[in-house]
Amino acid sequence: MGKDSFKTIFLDRDGVINVERSYISEPDEIELYPFSAEAIKMINEAGYLSVVVSNQSAIARNMCSVEQVNQVNERLKEDLKKDGAVIDAIYYCPHLPDLKLKSGNPKYLKECNCRKPKTGLFEMAAIDFNIDKSNSWMIGDSSRDITAGKDFGCKTVGVQTGHGAKGFTEKPDFIAENLLEAVKIILKS
C-alpha cells in the first residue's frame, strides 16, 4: 500500500478490552480490564491505529438502542483516555440474522455483511483509514473474531479473556493470556 496507509490493530470490545457481560446496554456496565489502558497506549505509541470492531446484537434484540450503544462506546473511550489510551474508531454491527425473533427490532433483524465473522466492519475502517492489511492485526476472544480478521487479511491473536477460555475453532496465529500480552506479541513480531 501507499505511504499514507495505516497499520492497524483491530480489537473486539467485550471480553478483550472490557469484562464480558451479557449485552451491555448502559455506560455504567463498562468495566475495563486493569491492563487495557496500558495495552492500548502501547498500540498508540507504536504507531498503530486502534480500531474496535464489535457485534452488538442487543440492538436487534430490543435490549438497548443505538443511542445506548453509542453512550457505552463513549464511556469506554473516556475511561481509556483517563490513562492516556486512545481508541481511533469504533465500528459495530447492530444486526442479527434471526429473522424470526418475535421480540426483536425488525429494522435490525436481517442478514448483513458487517456481523463478524463477515468482514464489513473491517472494510468500513479500511475505507475510512486506508488500512494496510498486511501489517494489521485482529485481537479477539472468539472464533468469529479470528475468522473475520483472517478473511480480511490480518494476522490474528486470540485472547483467553472473555470467551477465549472456551477455545477457538478457527486457529489464531498466536494465543495470548490477555490484551496486554497480545499487544506485546504483536510489537515483537
Side-chain angles (χ1 to χ4, degrees):
M1 298 207 86
K3 65 182 174 96
D4 294 321
S5 61
F6 296 96
K7 58 186 182 177
T8 301
I9 297 179
F10 292 97
L11 306 154
D12 181 46
R13 190 186 81 182
D14 303 329
V16 175
I17 300 172
N18 56 276
V19 174
E20 173 70 38
R21 298 189 196 290
S22 185
Y23 306 112
I24 294 175
S25 62
E26 297 296 331
D28 291 344
E29 296 173 338
I30 283 287
E31 179 186 351
L32 295 178
Y33 287 119
F35 46 77
S36 293
E38 178 184 355
I40 293 169
K41 191 172 177 183
M42 288 171 66
I43 291 170
N44 303 148
E45 291 170 351
Y48 284 86
L49 292 178
S50 59
V51 176
V52 173
V53 287
S54 180
N55 289 347
Q56 294 298 319
S57 68
I59 296 168
R61 296 172 193 274
N62 263 337
M63 300 170 81
C64 69
S65 66
V66 169
E67 293 77 20
Q68 285 173 294
V69 170
N70 290 336
Q71 290 169 356
V72 168
N73 287 336
E74 283 306 309
R75 170 63 69 84
L76 176 80
K77 289 166 70 173
E78 289 167 11
D79 288 353
L80 288 165
K81 196 171 184 179
K82 289 175 190 172
D83 290 316
V86 175
I87 296 291
D88 293 296
I90 298 177
Y91 297 86
Y92 64 87
C93 171
H95 306 114
L96 188 65
D98 184 356
L99 308 179
K100 297 175 185 164
L101 187 66
K102 300 215 185 305
S103 62
N105 183 332
K107 180 178 178 182
Y108 298 107
L109 291 175
K110 65 180 187 177
E111 290 288 338
C112 64
N113 72 342
C114 56
R115 184 172 173 75
K116 294 180 292 180
K118 295 180 182 170
T119 60
L121 298 175
F122 296 80
E123 292 163 16
M124 285 183 245
I127 291 167
D128 291 346
F129 292 102
N130 191 26
I131 289 173
D132 178 358
K133 295 179 188 184
S134 65
N135 286 308
S136 294
W137 293 78
M138 172 64 196
I139 301 174
D141 67 328
S142 73
S143 289
R144 72 177 153 255
D145 296 328
I146 302 307
T147 299
K150 285 182 178 259
D151 287 351
F152 181 67
C154 295
K155 293 175 266 324
T156 59
V157 182
V159 294
Q160 293 299 308
T161 51
H163 294 291
K166 296 177 184 171
F168 295 98
T169 55
E170 177 77 27
K171 189 174 182 329
D173 295 299
F174 298 93
I175 295 179
E177 181 180 336
N178 57 42
L179 176 59
L180 182 58
E181 184 182 315
V183 170
K184 288 177 179 178
I185 288 169
I186 291 168
L187 298 182
K188 286 180 186 173
S189 295

